[in-house]
Amino acid sequence: SIFDRWSTYPHKLDYPVNMVEWNIAKDFCEKQNQSLPTEAQWEWAAAGGDGRDWPWGNEHPTCEYADFTEGNLPSPGGDAGCHGGGPSPVATHLKGDRILPTGKIHDLAGNVWEWTLDSYGRFSTEAQVDPVRIASGDLTHVVKGGGWNRSHRGIMTWFRGAAIHTYKVPGLGFRCVRNPT
């Protein structure tokens, strides 16, 4: 329900917005003249094409870097994570920021999974530049970044998950990206 104990909006404005299905996240971004990131855009922001395992590099994560579950998961949706369960405020784990010449990006690993624009499916074997995969009638979309209730593997830059477009849970949120001008 919308009153889930881990729900963040509107009473926790310094937390990532969670419990939002894909269509609502997409519409929100578009109303801001932005977009959900494609899977390729999300991965580029997180890894920059240099093969790093996590946004900060290849140093194994700890709770200084991200909100995730160290060690064994009690259950896939368990009350785990660095703070005992539920998302943490944005920018709590600054050591895990992705640092770019234009600034820092917070929480690309852990905290909450993030919707992408793309439908979930196999990658093309053809060389592509900034691919977008939106399959007509496909209601399953790629989610990236892992969440507080995932292990170090689930928060790796290359790890991809999938969720049906109506999925609305505490461990799933979104971020918008600026459209090219």
Side-chain angles (χ1 to χ4, degrees), residues 42-43 45-47 51-71 73 76 80-82 88 93 95-98 105-114 143-161 171 175:
W42 191 99
E43 273 197 39
R52 63 182 58 210
D53 286 330
W54 295 280
W56 57 86
N58 290 322
E59 187 173 332
H60 205 274
T62 67
C63 288
E64 289 183 87
Y65 291 96
D67 191 354
F68 74 111
T69 299
E70 292 185 286
L73 293 172
C82 294
S88 54
H93 306 274
K95 200 170 181 181
D97 285 354
R98 174 72 165 117
I105 305 176
H106 306 297
D107 300 321
L108 286 166
N111 213 1
V112 295
W113 288 92
E114 297 178 10
V143 295
K144 299 289 289 182
W148 82 82
N149 57 352
R150 290 297 177 256
S151 71
H152 73 282
R153 181 177 168 85
I155 67 170
M156 296 179 104
T157 57
W158 51 263
F159 194 89
R160 62 197 304 246
R175 76 174 69 220

Side-chain angles (χ1 to χ4, degrees), residues 18-23 76-77 113 115 139 141 143 149-150 162-173:
N18 63 357
M19 299 191 68
V20 178
E21 58 190 65
W22 185 84
N23 289 322
W113 288 92
W115 285 115
L139 303 177
H141 294 274
V143 295
N149 57 352
R150 290 297 177 256
I164 188 79
H165 74 289
T166 55
Y167 201 51
K168 187 165 75 169
V169 296
L172 177 58

